[in-house]
Amino acid sequence: MPDLLLELRSEEIPARMQRKAAGDLRKMLTDGLVEAGLTYEAAREYWTPRRLALDIRGLTARSKDIREEIKGPSTTAPEQAVQGFLRKAGLSSIAEAHVHSDPKKGDFYVAHIAKPGRAAEEIIAELVPGIIKSFPWPKSMRWGPASAKPGSLRWVRPLQSIVCTFGPETEEPVIVDFEIDGIRAGNITYGHRFHAPGAITVRRFDDYVAKLEAAKVVLDADRRKEIILADARNIAFANGLDLVEDEGLLEEVSGLVEWPVVLMGEFEQDFLTIPGEVIRLTIRANQKCFVTSRPISPSEGEMSGKPTEGTQREAPLSALPGISTSRGEIRQSLSNRFVLVANIEASDGGKEIAYGNGKVVRARLSDALYFWRTDQGDLPDLDQLAESAAKFDLDLKKPLDQRMARLDHLNVTFHAKLGTQGARVERIKRLAEELAPTVASGDIPPLRGEITALASRAAVLAKADLQTEVVGEFPELQGAMGRKYALLQGEHPSVAAAAEEHYKPQGPSDRVPTDPVSVAVALADKLDTLTGFWAIDEKPTGSKDPFALRRAALGVVRILVENRIRLALTSVFAKAFANFKGGADQSSDLLAFFHDRLKVYLRESGARHDLIDAVLSAGSRPISPTRGEIGQSPNDDLLQIVRRVEALGSLLDTEEGKNLLAGTKRAANILAAEEKKKTAIAETVEPALFREDAEKKLYAAVNQAEKEAGQAIQNEDFSAAMLALSVLREPVDSFFERVLVNDEDQAVRANRLALLARIRAATDQVGDFSKIVG
């Protein structure tokens, strides 16, 4: 069967657009071919900085002839209906229609439509110009004299040539002939701009790839990535270094070159006094280069007490007991060598290219060094910050404290309806102080008090790095620079860690903070954001979530569940909403939003959706605080919900659980039906009305199970609660085998229905069994 080769060659396409554009081209063309009645066996897209290419294999040479009948109205139908039928069928008059008869419906019109098949070349020649003209580039341009005409061709960069060949492997392919704005499709392309600028005649995809390779163009982007990564690793290894890998940068660089040539540049050792993150971002953002490192053991670095050349010394890690500050046994120190990827094989082996890149890198690093040093000095407006310093108990001898004072002094806006960053920091501080005892509830009281003080200090400094020069240049370093500057001015390591970790987790694959101080500030930060936007009624709608509130809520869920923290959310919401004057307390609506996020989290963790619904639907009875929580409201303890779901799943994996589910659902269905009919149901079960032993045994079992399950839930032992309920299996089965619920005696019937209600109430302690599938 014939194959199709299509190439659209232009000036350089921005790297960030290439992959999606190639995918869009494949989808638009294959969808159009299928819609036109053609089929194909396989299609794959390719891209380089200067071309989008498509290889479609096994494309049918011609679309099938189509014969179809379009049924119309009755021959006695009004003229309006007849005209509508003619328009639908594409007929010019009713004389072109046929009349069919039906014994029941009488005579009616039918249009017999015959569409002859079309050659694939004709379909392609019609499709491709339309695709090019309507291509969904994020940004496009017009060029040349034709750009003055309305409706002229637009493309991301000037389109230079089109290759479009079609045919089977056993024959010479044909050129699919079409033209768009003076560019006629052909079989001529061009290789590397400098190494092979001459014309290349191609036939089909295989020789197209081979001839491009000979002309110094690697068509496959994934292969370019493999070449770059392998050569970068090798050149680093040859110099005794490790490549600091960066998948995002690798993707971008592979879209900047057609013939990757990996080189190594260098800069002065003095620049290594700048934090590694700043060096890496400076070189990455400005020159699209990779940094290199060499591994150092503890004996070389901080464990020896001597700074290793090229490393930044940090404050000693003297954490309080119970506060995690582990950083691993091996650290990496950046070297003063970097890896760049050129698009040309230079006659001098790339020396001038590497030298030129080194000059630019040195200039950028000089700026970064200035920012780094400036951030450690006094601010010029220090004399204006006394009032803000007093408000937050800041020490204006410390650089980071100065930045926090300035953040408040300048009244930097957080949100027009939610006030300034300074006001927000005040709210986060109060909330972190409230949360710290709960987060640290497993520790001894004196330590809990110290963690509260640390959380308060950490909350005050958490946003201070927003006023630093480095973060102003590289916003993605907010938090990371706060940690470094906090350590440099002698803050407790947990305070420094919280400056960075309170933003976490920023996605489903990001780690959650575990240090109690970081946890308290992270929760306070996210809960303040959520309650604030709920208070001003700026909630996520549909797919729109401009303030990333779903991510914030999922972050709270993960922090609480993965750190096994018990927290009464409604109590926290009430305190947080009180911080917003005039804002309504929307705790119940916000709790429902958290339930939705918890469902997402649990489903992604493999939990059954029906078990989650069962636990949330049933609600949980108030329990006595056992770990310092103030109060408890139904379903506002996310960790407890997770434990219930886990225990319910374990129960239903057993034979007893499956049978209990069946019996309980039967009881619930009977109750629902009788409640719908408004049948009388006794308020309490009266043992004197029992007539069967099965009733007595079930009543005794329910009393025992309800008591034991309730006690187990009080003790937060949900597995024991499930075990207590599982003993109901046999008496429930026996009851339904031997007892007729709808007895003729109204009092007996009402009593038996009350007994079924007791079964439902007992199992509702752990979940609404009616929500469970099975």
Side-chain angles (χ1 to χ4, degrees):
M1 293 179 73
D3 301 329
L4 172 66
L5 166 65
L6 175 67
E7 180 202 67
L8 306 177
R9 188 179 64 88
S10 67
E11 295 292 336
E12 276 72 8
I13 305 167
R16 68 183 182 279
M17 298 183 188
Q18 294 167 17
R19 184 181 290 273
K20 183 179 184 301
D24 288 341
L25 178 62
R26 175 182 56 77
K27 186 177 188 309
M28 293 173 78
L29 185 53
T30 54
D31 285 355
L33 293 172
V34 170
E35 189 175 336
L38 300 177
T39 62
Y40 62 95
E41 293 176 357
R44 184 177 173 187
E45 69 273 23
Y46 298 86
W47 62 92
T48 78
R50 299 179 63 212
R51 67 200 79 219
L52 302 178
L54 197 56
D55 174 28
I56 300 180
R57 301 290 175 97
L59 185 64
T60 47
R62 186 179 182 83
S63 62
K64 293 180 180 179
D65 295 341
I66 298 175
R67 296 185 66 84
E68 63 177 327
E69 292 185 354
I70 300 177
K71 186 177 179 180
S74 168
T75 55
T76 60
E79 181 64 21
Q80 187 176 1
V82 172
Q83 291 301 318
F85 164 64
L86 293 177
R87 286 193 297 271
K88 177 182 178 182
L91 303 180
S92 57
S93 73
I94 199 62
E96 297 177 5
H98 295 73
V99 177
H100 288 198
S101 296
D102 185 282
K104 294 182 179 179
K105 298 182 179 179
D107 294 344
F108 58 92
Y109 293 113
V110 176
H112 293 181
I113 307 297
K115 294 181 180 178
R118 301 166 63 199
E121 299 99 303
E122 180 185 342
I123 294 171
I124 295 165
E126 183 182 283
L127 276 175
V128 176
I131 289 171
I132 292 173
K133 284 189 173 182
S134 62
F135 203 80
W137 291 108
K139 291 183 178 180
S140 58
M141 61 179 288
R142 295 180 294 176
W143 62 93
S147 64
K149 300 176 183 178
S152 61
L153 175 64
R154 300 182 69 91
W155 199 244
V156 64
R157 295 291 185 270
L159 190 62
Q160 296 176 328
S161 68
I162 300 172
V163 170
C164 192
T165 67
F166 179 70
E169 291 185 10
T170 55
E171 300 175 12
E172 187 68 19
V174 299
I175 296 171
V176 180
D177 187 33
F178 60 86
E179 181 182 352
I180 179 167
D181 273 30
I183 304 172
R184 183 167 292 278
N187 61 352
I188 304 295
T189 189
Y190 296 83
H192 193 283
R193 184 187 294 277
F194 303 112
H195 289 308
I200 303 169
T201 302
V202 299
R203 298 173 66 247
R204 54 177 52 85
F205 183 75
D206 291 340
D207 80 303
Y208 166 73
V209 173
K211 288 178 178 178
L212 279 183
E213 190 96 13
K216 304 293 187 183
V217 174
V218 178
L219 182 66
D220 188 341
D222 289 332
R223 184 162 167 260
R224 291 199 304 275
K225 288 172 67 173
E226 291 170 3
I227 292 169
I228 293 168
L229 185 58
D231 288 355
R233 286 171 174 167
N234 289 338
I235 198 171
F237 179 77
N239 286 271
L241 303 168
D242 291 330
L243 178 72
V244 178
E245 297 183 14
D246 185 330
E247 177 60 30
L249 179 59
L250 181 62
E251 173 79 13
E252 183 176 8
V253 170
S254 72
L256 297 175
V257 296
E258 290 194 315
W259 189 253
V261 179
V262 175
L263 304 169
M264 180 166 277
E266 64 179 318
F267 54 86
E268 285 75 15
Q269 289 270 358
D270 291 347
F271 288 120
L272 293 176
T273 57
I274 306 170
E277 297 92 333
V278 179
I279 294 174
R280 182 175 177 178
L281 268 177
T282 300
I283 294 176
R284 184 191 199 278
N286 293 292
Q287 288 303 104
K288 313 302 179 189
C289 296
F290 298 86
V291 295
T292 62
S293 66
R294 62 183 185 88
I296 59 172
S297 64
S299 59
E300 290 183 88
E302 61 185 356
M303 299 295 288
S304 68
K306 297 179 181 179
T308 304
E309 183 181 15
T311 63
Q312 177 65 45
R313 284 291 292 155
E314 295 179 340
L317 303 177
S318 53
L320 287 169
I323 302 182
S324 171
T325 55
S326 172
R327 297 190 177 187
E329 294 300 317
I330 300 293
R331 297 177 61 206
Q332 283 192 319
S333 167
L334 292 188
S335 79
N336 65 322
R337 302 279 186 93
F338 61 92
V339 174
L340 61 132
V341 183
N343 191 36
I344 189 172
E345 290 180 346
S347 58
D348 64 352
K351 291 181 181 177
E352 282 299 316
I353 295 174
Y355 176 74
N357 274 266
K359 285 179 66 176
V360 178
V361 165
R362 282 191 286 276
R364 300 300 187 187
L365 288 178
S366 293
D367 292 341
L369 183 60
Y370 169 78
F371 295 148
W372 169 245
R373 288 174 174 168
T374 299
D375 286 341
Q376 296 175 57
D378 289 339
L379 291 171
D381 54 350
L382 192 58
D383 58 334
Q384 302 174 31
L385 307 179
E387 184 177 346
S388 293
K391 182 193 302 185
F392 291 100
D393 193 23
L394 296 167
D395 182 355
L396 290 183
K397 295 178 182 178
K398 297 180 176 181
L400 201 58
D401 289 55
Q402 293 179 21
R403 272 70 189 172
M404 178 56 225
R406 176 188 262 186
L407 185 70
D408 179 67
H409 173 71
L410 294 177
N411 289 320
V412 176
T413 300
F414 167 62
H415 184 278
K417 295 181 180 179
L418 295 175
T420 65
Q421 285 282 12
R424 182 168 183 247
V425 169
E426 284 189 277
R427 297 195 302 268
I428 293 172
K429 174 178 177 289
R430 288 196 296 270
L431 202 51
E433 291 170 348
E434 290 277 352
L435 293 169
T438 298
V439 169
S441 59
D443 297 299
I444 56 176
L447 184 56
R448 287 205 295 271
E450 199 149 6
I451 291 173
T452 300
L454 290 172
S456 177
R457 175 67 173 167
V460 167
L461 295 181
K463 307 296 181 184
D465 66 350
L466 296 177
Q467 281 292 306
T468 62
E469 298 288 339
V470 169
V471 173
E473 181 73 9
F474 300 111
E476 55 267 59
L477 285 180
Q478 66 181 15
M481 296 313 300
R483 180 176 195 156
K484 289 188 175 295
Y485 291 137
L487 289 170
L488 283 172
Q489 72 176 33
E491 299 295 333
H492 190 282
S494 289
V495 171
E500 178 177 20
E501 294 178 349
H502 80 282
Y503 290 109
K504 294 182 177 295
Q506 295 190 342
S509 60
D510 195 13
R511 67 177 182 85
V512 300
T514 55
D515 183 307
V517 177
S518 296
V519 168
V521 181
L523 288 173
D525 180 42
K526 293 169 176 59
L527 290 169
D528 175 79
T529 298
L530 287 159
T531 52
F533 283 105
W534 247 253
I536 62 173
D537 203 27
E538 291 278 359
K539 307 168 189 175
T541 55
S543 61
K544 296 182 179 180
D545 186 11
F547 304 109
L549 301 181
R550 291 188 181 96
R551 186 176 70 184
L554 189 56
V556 173
V557 169
R558 287 190 60 201
I559 290 171
L560 294 176
V561 173
E562 294 177 26
N563 283 302
R564 315 300 284 179
I565 295 172
R566 298 287 311 282
L567 185 66
L569 281 177
T570 49
S571 175
V572 178
F573 293 163
K575 292 180 174 66
F577 277 119
N579 289 325
F580 300 99
K581 295 179 180 178
D585 185 331
Q586 299 194 47
S587 294
S588 59
D589 186 63
L590 184 53
L591 184 60
F593 181 72
F594 268 94
H595 287 165
D596 288 340
R597 295 301 94 199
L598 181 63
K599 288 180 183 179
V600 171
Y601 172 76
L602 290 176
R603 283 198 295 265
E604 290 177 350
S605 301
R608 285 170 46 178
H609 69 89
D610 56 334
L611 301 190
I612 304 168
D613 289 339
V615 170
L616 289 175
S617 176
S620 57
R621 294 182 178 180
I623 61 174
S624 301
T626 59
R627 299 185 61 194
E629 299 92 346
I630 303 173
Q632 187 82 18
S633 296
N635 279 344
D636 74 343
D637 183 340
L638 303 186
L639 180 58
Q640 188 192 71
I641 294 171
V642 171
R643 287 174 174 170
R644 287 174 182 267
V645 171
E646 291 171 350
L648 187 55
S650 298
L651 173 65
L652 295 178
D653 284 339
T654 67
E655 197 62 31
E656 289 81 1
K658 293 173 185 174
N659 289 334
L660 176 62
L661 172 63
T664 303
K665 292 187 78 170
R666 185 175 177 184
N669 290 337
I670 292 172
L671 277 170
E674 296 304 320
E675 287 169 343
K676 190 174 183 180
K677 292 188 291 185
K678 301 189 182 302
T679 303
I681 301 174
E683 292 187 6
T684 60
V685 177
E686 180 53 61
L689 293 173
F690 292 155
R691 294 179 177 177
E692 304 286 344
D693 287 342
E695 290 179 279
K696 299 174 184 177
K697 290 179 180 178
L698 178 57
Y699 179 63
V702 168
N703 284 337
Q704 185 66 22
E706 197 171 47
K707 178 181 177 183
E708 291 181 0
Q711 186 58 53
I713 290 172
Q714 290 280 350
N715 297 332
E716 300 173 28
D717 189 346
F718 300 110
S719 296
M722 298 299 171
L723 184 63
L725 292 175
S726 68
V727 302
L728 288 174
R729 173 228 171 144
E730 192 280 328
V732 167
D733 289 348
S734 179
F735 177 84
F736 283 119
E737 287 175 9
R738 294 176 172 82
V739 177
L740 177 65
V741 175
N742 287 322
D743 192 88
E744 293 181 359
D745 187 322
Q746 184 176 349
V748 172
R749 180 171 65 245
N751 197 56
R752 287 174 178 173
L753 289 172
L755 185 55
L756 297 187
R758 285 286 302 278
I759 297 173
R760 183 172 64 182
T763 54
D764 269 359
Q765 291 182 99
V766 294
D768 182 352
F769 277 39
S770 67
K771 300 287 185 182
I772 300 173
V773 178

